[in-house]
């Protein structure tokens, strides 16, 4: 388990999105740029303490507004409390929609706060959406003639409007199962004041040493030996060199050091003041063959979490014929009558669906230059997705009878173990991340589908889906799913009776952004995405491509996909 992230003046908090508006960006907090970008300095507006003669309602409203400032363990907010009042501000944070806030007098010494809850955060910085109504009662009393809060529940109540000004998402990086690619584990931190970059660097390294979040842990590994700790703080000199002094009972081996270095470099390269890192072991340079003690932030590109698939270009189906975008159609896919064509990340394997007699659908799989083999036939099959090992994963059936099926290259299909809470709702579409660590699933009954992200592990050679985090809740009528990057998922949601939008969400649901709608004249229900590739959307019998914030119709068709 990751240790607590509260260090120095940084108290972790998080934000989320309650619903998707009709247009424009819908994120409610600052997300860092793509890996390699930097945290922008924030101009902070500090809240004031209570005023003389303040009445209970405005007192409580002022207290809620003061929680935007976490400095000195919410020093300003505590000015609203009566002496001796117990308030544990570190037990968690609840995000709410400020537009729904109502503060009423519920008794001579009580004030009730009612809000629409958006999400919650634990002390490790992990966000989880939790939409619903929340009612809190705060006690008030007079202290030397002035009203003060005398009782309140533990934790912090923070509006999404305040969170948007003060917070941003960062990622801690771990290794996928094959230790060939980095996997982001997002957390949320306050935008640091100028001069506090070293404190944030210390927070991030501490989080990395503490290990991945509980949800991601089954799917990833770390090259950092157990028991490794940080000696003192991370120091950043005037040249942007971040010095990281590690200590532990076990020194990382020469074979571990490249992966360990990659985890640290990619985690700290998010800070604009960091230009390189220097690794120490109890004050001595930590090096190995090919691994200097000082490494630039552009080191270890081979572990790039946003690495592009080696198979470039898109595919879609037009009346049973496979059509390619910026590539050639693989030989097996040049056969007529195919739906949902897709290619593995390395281009070595292809898969597609074909309608057969009796109202059935069959899954066809082939090498890129071979002939198709029938692998699975059922009344309903979802569009296939590949994992990094070239296994095909597909949903068989519908509703509560749906099952997730894994089809390895040898054809020995097996049912994937999925958490009962997910399988009982029914799965209609899936997409496995290109690092193989996560799976995005469209879950639920028609019209009330939600986007759920689970983590992928392997037990006795078979895939296992661990749990599931609701990223876009039921009621949005989620349809279609694709991975735009290691931390970004593209899907479509309903805006009204006849309107739909393409949205991009982070894997935890912390940031959900509506993509531009200009030029998209159909209601999209399918999407395709990949690093370095334009997002594709399908609906109403057409395929659209997004470029420069405008959609252009490519052709008639359906079932768009990119490799992987």
């Amino acid at each position: 388990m990751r240790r607590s992230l509260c260090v120095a003046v940084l108290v972790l908090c998080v934000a989320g999105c309650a619903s998707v508006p009709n247009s424009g960006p819908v994120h409610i907090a600052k997300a860092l740029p793509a890996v390699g970008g930097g945290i922008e300095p924030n101009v902070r507006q500090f809240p004031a303490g209570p005023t003389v003669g303040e009445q209970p309602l405005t007192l409580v409203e002022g207290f809620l507004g003061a929680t935007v400032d976490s400095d000195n363990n919410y020093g300003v907010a505590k000015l609203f409390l009566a002496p001796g009042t117990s308030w544990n501000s570190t037990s968690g944070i609840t995000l709410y929609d400020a537009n729904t806030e109502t503060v009423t007098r519920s008794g001579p010494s009580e004030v009730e706060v009612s809000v629409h809850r958006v999400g919650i955060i634990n002390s490790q910085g992990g966000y989880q959406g939790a939409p619903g109504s929340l009612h809190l009662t705060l006690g008030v009393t007079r202290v030397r003639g002035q009203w003060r809060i005398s009782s309140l529940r533990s934790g912090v109540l923070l509006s999404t409007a305040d969170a948007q000004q003060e917070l941003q998402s960062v990622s801690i990086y771990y290794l996928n199962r094959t230790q060939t690619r980095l996997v982001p584990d997002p957390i949320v931190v306050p935008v640091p004041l100028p001069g506090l970059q070293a404190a944030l660097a210390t927070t991030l390294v501490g989080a990395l040493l503490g290990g991945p979040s509980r949800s991601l842990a089954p799917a990833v590994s770390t090259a950092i030996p157990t028991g490794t700790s940080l000696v003192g703080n991370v120091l950043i000199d005037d040249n942007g060199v971040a010095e990281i002094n590690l200590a532990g009972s076990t020194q990382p081996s020469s074979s571990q050091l490249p992966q360990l270095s990659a985890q640290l470099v990619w985690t700290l390269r998010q800070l604009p003041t960091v230009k390189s890192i220097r690794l120490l072991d109890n004050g001595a340079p930590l090096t190995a063959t090919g691994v200097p003690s000082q490494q630039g932030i552009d080191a270890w590109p081979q572990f790039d979490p946003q690495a592009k698939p080696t198979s470039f270009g898109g595919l879609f189906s037009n009346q049973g014929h496979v059509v390619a975008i910026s590539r050639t159609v693989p030989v097996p896919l040049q056969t007529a009558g195919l739906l949902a064509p897709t290619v593995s990340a390395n281009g070595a394997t292809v898969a597609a669906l074909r309608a057969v007699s009796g109202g059935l659908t069959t899954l066809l799989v082939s090498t890129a230059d071979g002939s198709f083999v029938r692998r699975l036939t059922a009344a309903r099959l979802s569009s296939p997705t590949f994992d990094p090992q070239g296994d095909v994963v597909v949903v068989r059936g519908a509703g509560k009878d749906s099952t997730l099926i894994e089809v390895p290259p040898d054809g020995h299909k097996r049912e994937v173990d999925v958490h009962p809470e997910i399988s009982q709702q029914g799965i209609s579409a899936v997409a496995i991340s290109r690092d193989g660590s996560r799976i995005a699933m469209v879950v639920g009954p028609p019209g009330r589908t939600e986007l759920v992200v689970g983590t992928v592990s392997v037990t006795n050679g078979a895939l296992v889906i661990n749990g599931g985090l609701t990223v876009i809740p039921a009621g949005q009528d989620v349809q279609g799913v694709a991975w735009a990057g290691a931390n970004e998922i593209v899907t479509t949601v309903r805006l009204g009776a006849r309107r739909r939008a393409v949205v991009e969400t982070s894997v935890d649901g912390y940031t959900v952004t509506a993509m531009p709608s200009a030029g998209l004249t159909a209601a999209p229900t399918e999407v395709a995405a990949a690093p370095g590739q334009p997002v594709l959307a399908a609906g109403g019998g057409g395929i659209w491509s997004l470029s420069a914030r405008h959609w252009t119709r490519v052709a008639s068709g359906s079932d768009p996909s990119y490799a992987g």
Side-chain angles (χ1 to χ4, degrees):
M1 274 298 292
R2 177 180 294 155
R3 65 194 70 174
S4 174
L5 301 183
C6 297
V7 298
V9 299
L10 298 177
V11 178
L12 293 184
C13 34
V14 71
C17 177
S19 61
V20 179
N22 289 345
S23 63
V26 300
H27 61 282
I28 64 85
K30 292 184 178 180
L32 249 60
V35 173
I39 300 173
E40 297 179 358
N42 193 28
V43 178
R44 298 182 59 181
Q45 296 180 347
F46 291 94
T51 59
V52 175
E54 199 157 33
Q55 296 303 300
L57 296 185
T58 56
L59 178 81
V60 170
E61 290 172 349
F63 169 76
L64 294 176
T67 58
V68 70
D69 182 10
S70 62
D71 287 356
N72 300 317
N73 194 17
Y74 297 94
V76 174
K78 288 181 177 179
L79 297 176
F80 292 81
L81 307 184
T85 300
S86 175
W87 177 43
N88 180 4
S89 60
T90 64
S91 64
I93 296 173
T94 299
L95 275 295
Y96 71 95
D97 182 354
N99 295 322
T100 67
E101 177 187 309
T102 60
V103 181
T104 57
R105 193 79 176 265
S106 56
S109 58
E110 290 183 342
V111 173
E112 183 172 290
V113 177
S114 297
V115 296
H116 176 79
R117 183 183 61 220
V118 172
I120 56 177
I121 181 171
N122 57 35
S123 60
Q124 286 75 44
Y127 171 73
Q128 182 171 356
S133 298
L134 181 64
H135 305 280
L136 304 174
T137 299
L138 287 74
V140 293
T141 188
R142 284 188 178 272
V143 178
R144 294 187 291 275
Q146 303 296 315
W147 285 104
R148 294 293 182 266
I149 297 170
S150 58
S151 64
L152 71 168
R153 73 165 200 172
S154 297
V156 173
L157 194 64
L158 187 68
S159 77
T160 55
D162 286 336
Q164 184 174 3
Q165 299 300 316
E166 297 297 317
L167 310 175
Q168 82 254 302
S169 177
V170 296
S171 290
I172 311 300
Y173 286 95
Y174 297 94
L175 297 159
N176 64 354
R177 290 191 303 275
T178 57
Q179 297 197 343
T180 56
R181 187 178 291 193
L182 291 168
V183 180
D185 197 2
I187 61 173
V188 178
V189 297
V191 178
L193 290 170
L196 292 181
Q197 294 277 319
L200 180 53
T202 301
T203 297
L204 299 185
V205 172
L208 176 60
L209 298 183
S213 58
R214 179 180 297 176
S215 61
L216 185 61
V220 296
S221 62
T222 181
I224 300 171
T226 302
T228 300
S229 61
L230 180 64
V231 179
N233 296 324
V234 175
L235 303 177
I236 304 176
D237 66 20
D238 293 340
N239 295 318
V241 180
E243 187 173 87
I244 306 166
N245 192 8
L246 304 176
S249 57
T250 303
Q251 189 180 45
S253 67
S254 57
S255 60
Q256 287 177 309
L257 200 52
Q259 287 91 340
L260 181 153
S261 299
Q263 289 181 253
L264 287 165
V265 164
W266 281 86
T267 296
L268 290 186
R269 69 187 292 173
Q270 299 169 97
L271 279 65
T273 55
V274 175
K275 306 304 179 186
S276 63
I277 70 168
R278 179 183 294 120
L279 293 178
L280 303 176
D281 178 31
N282 283 305
L286 184 56
T287 64
T289 302
V291 187
S293 63
Q294 184 168 326
Q295 306 158 26
I297 59 170
D298 57 350
W300 310 114
Q302 64 268 44
F303 294 99
D304 187 351
Q306 304 285 23
K308 301 175 183 178
T310 55
S311 181
F312 188 84
L315 299 170
F316 63 92
S317 176
N318 183 3
Q319 297 183 344
H321 296 279
V322 176
V323 183
I325 303 174
S326 301
R327 63 166 301 151
T328 58
V329 177
V331 172
L333 294 176
Q334 295 174 12
T335 306
L338 300 180
L339 302 171
T342 189
V343 181
S344 63
N346 63 5
T349 310
V350 300
L353 303 180
R354 172 180 283 158
V356 294
S357 60
L360 302 178
T361 300
T362 190
L363 170 68
L364 304 172
V365 181
S366 172
T367 59
D369 56 358
S371 300
F372 273 130
V373 177
R374 292 190 179 191
R375 293 302 193 192
L376 181 65
T377 300
R380 181 194 179 276
L381 294 174
S382 70
S383 296
T385 181
F386 280 99
D387 70 8
Q389 286 69 49
D391 300 340
V392 179
V393 176
V394 67
V395 181
R396 179 180 63 189
K400 294 182 179 181
D401 296 326
S402 63
T403 55
L404 202 58
I405 304 296
E406 175 191 10
V407 184
D410 62 10
H412 288 83
K413 53 185 176 289
R414 50 206 176 203
E415 187 172 324
V416 178
D417 185 10
V418 180
H419 195 282
E421 289 186 7
I422 297 175
S423 59
Q424 289 171 8
Q425 295 181 67
I427 306 172
S428 54
V430 294
I432 295 179
S433 62
R434 290 176 177 85
D435 55 41
S437 301
R438 292 183 170 101
I439 183 170
M441 300 171 282
V442 178
V443 175
R448 289 195 54 79
T449 46
E450 59 187 13
L451 180 63
V452 176
V453 175
T455 54
V456 181
S457 61
V458 176
T459 301
N460 297 324
L463 295 183
V464 175
I465 309 304
N466 305 279
L469 176 69
T470 298
V471 173
I472 298 179
Q476 301 283 336
D477 188 24
V478 172
Q479 294 187 50
V481 61
W483 288 87
N487 192 37
E488 301 85 25
I489 301 169
V490 175
T491 185
T492 76
V493 298
R494 184 181 63 236
L495 297 181
R498 296 183 179 180
R499 293 189 61 203
R500 298 188 62 83
V502 180
V503 300
E504 182 178 78
T505 177
S506 56
V507 294
D508 57 358
Y510 166 74
T511 305
V512 183
T513 306
M515 291 186 170
S517 59
L520 186 57
T521 57
T525 57
E526 300 174 305
V527 289
Q533 302 274 274
V535 173
L536 301 177
I543 303 288
W544 280 261
S545 176
L546 180 62
S547 177
R549 300 184 59 81
H550 188 276
W551 294 92
T552 301
R553 194 177 191 277
V554 176
S556 298
S558 62
D559 306 326
S561 72
Y562 284 116

